[in-house]
Amino acid sequence: MDENKIDELADVLGSTSRVAVLTGAGISAESGIPTFRGSQGLWRQFRAEELATPEAFERDPKLVWEWYDWRRKLIGEAEPNAGHRTLSAWQRRFPSLSLITQNIDGLHELAGSRDPLELHGNIWKTRCLRDGTVRENRDVPLSEVPPRCPDCGEWLRPHVVWFGEPLDSRVLDEAFRLCSSCQVMFVIGTSAVVHPAAALPLAAAEAGAVLVEVNPEPTPLTRAADFSFRAQSGGLLPLLDRKLGTRRAP
Ligand code: APR
């Protein structure tokens, strides 16, 4: 790991007030949750088209819910790692830190991050197909598959964004606003291939922000990044935080 680049970034952050962070599945990899793409990716065992789409749910809601029930069990046993915890601590280090995540695992909130902007929803929430009511449901395993609405008995669906579905426009507008007004944007653990999330770092760079990528592998974002660390977030972020500790009060 390039210590000089980390020192250089710590110097930049020493005089930074507004930070935006976009995370992807990679920040949860060290918590034991498989990423989607790449050699260890989840999609190697499952095909996205068979599971994470409205058509798949229409065709076989039981199969889709069995997959989410399996992921909920896996995620339910996972703990936030040092990467999540560092980002939670940075809420006190920076006057303005906006955390935007593509992850639905809830680990940022579990690590103490307040109100992460969840672009793709949350695996612990369900939505009634009849009236759209969103509820928290942490049953592991689910009491019935597919689960039913306690009010009307209609089937519930996961409150997540599936392929081919639009993101909540208010959430997305807020994400672009935060990224376009930050001084430094971190992009951590994402392959940067799924839009519109992948466009957020470019909006930040266009607005003049310093772009910092943390990923063991290069991505389409790498060449646009001012700093690109070929590193795991669970190691890099605490190291950077220790360097920050000598430059600005927590
Ligand atoms: N630290 C940092 N990055 C890591 C780590 C780690 N320890 N381990 C893996 N990575 C990187 C991988 O190199 C990869 O680039 O995390 C990235 C994970 O990429 P994806 O699996 O594509 O996950 P993500 O970018 O979040 O996917 C975006 O696609 O499937 C949909 O809705 C789903 O939110 C998801 C979206």
Side-chain angles (χ1 to χ4, degrees), residues 24-26 30 35-37 43 102 120 189-191 194 215-216 232-233:
E30 291 160 271
T35 58
F36 293 93
R37 297 166 186 83
W43 296 139
Q102 300 171 86
H120 296 160
T190 180
S191 57
V194 175
N215 194 321
Q232 297 199 328
S233 44

Side-chain angles (χ1 to χ4, degrees), residues 35-52:
T35 58
F36 293 93
R37 297 166 186 83
S39 56
Q40 308 308 315
L42 208 52
W43 296 139
R44 287 170 65 82
Q45 297 152 269
F46 302 98
R47 287 180 48 71
E49 296 70 26
E50 288 157 17
L51 293 160

